Amino acid sequence: GSAASDDVHAILDAVPGISRLIGHSKGALAIENALRSLLSPRTSGLSVVTLGCVIEEEFPQARYDQYLGWLDALGTLNSWNRRPEHRAFTHHSTNSAIPLSMLVGSYVVESEQDARNITAP
């Protein structure tokens, strides 16, 4: 892994109450690597939201919501031909002061609402 992946792994191992992971670009890759090194029961029920990089959805017991912009060449390159669940007319940046940046807050809320709709009786 990497130092970032090791940090995410250590935090998830030490704090069992964490159930949602959100990562942008390299942070999404750190999440992917950290999940690979966790024991299977710990990945159960996790919600993973990635922005600007689509990771492998290796754990069926985790929920993934992945966002990639149509204008995001870097994110597309880092995604290695994986397809996101959500595409938007954005580029790679999450800086809201820049036009066409990723709407992180909206995506996280949307992901949470989708999760509630799936688990609702």
Side-chain angles (χ1 to χ4, degrees):
S2 67
S5 298
D6 294 344
D7 291 344
V8 173
H9 173 93
I11 292 167
L12 289 172
D13 225 16
V15 187
I18 293 176
S19 61
R20 177 163 250 198
L21 304 169
I22 302 169
H24 173 255
S25 196
K26 189 175 180 181
L29 295 172
I31 290 170
E32 178 181 38
N33 289 331
L35 291 178
R36 287 179 177 154
S37 63
L38 287 173
L39 297 175
S40 183
R42 182 59 182 103
T43 59
S44 182
L46 283 178
S47 171
V48 179
V49 178
T50 68
L51 309 155
C53 182
V54 181
I55 62 174
E56 188 70 36
E57 296 184 7
E58 296 179 52
F59 301 95
Q61 65 274 27
R63 183 176 191 295
Y64 295 85
D65 277 305
Q66 304 196 69
Y67 295 82
L68 187 62
W70 284 109
L71 307 174
D72 186 351
L74 178 60
T76 300
L77 179 65
N78 286 334
S79 297
W80 292 90
N81 291 324
R82 294 184 200 109
R83 295 178 191 260
E85 285 84 14
H86 309 277
R87 293 296 295 252
F89 192 69
T90 66
H91 53 79
H92 192 72
S93 179
T94 59
N95 182 346
S96 60
I98 300 172
L100 301 176
S101 63
M102 298 191 95
L103 304 173
V104 176
S106 298
Y107 301 154
V108 171
V109 168
E110 177 183 315
S111 173
E112 182 64 29
Q113 289 172 342
D114 288 349
R116 285 189 193 133
N117 290 337
I118 289 172
T119 59

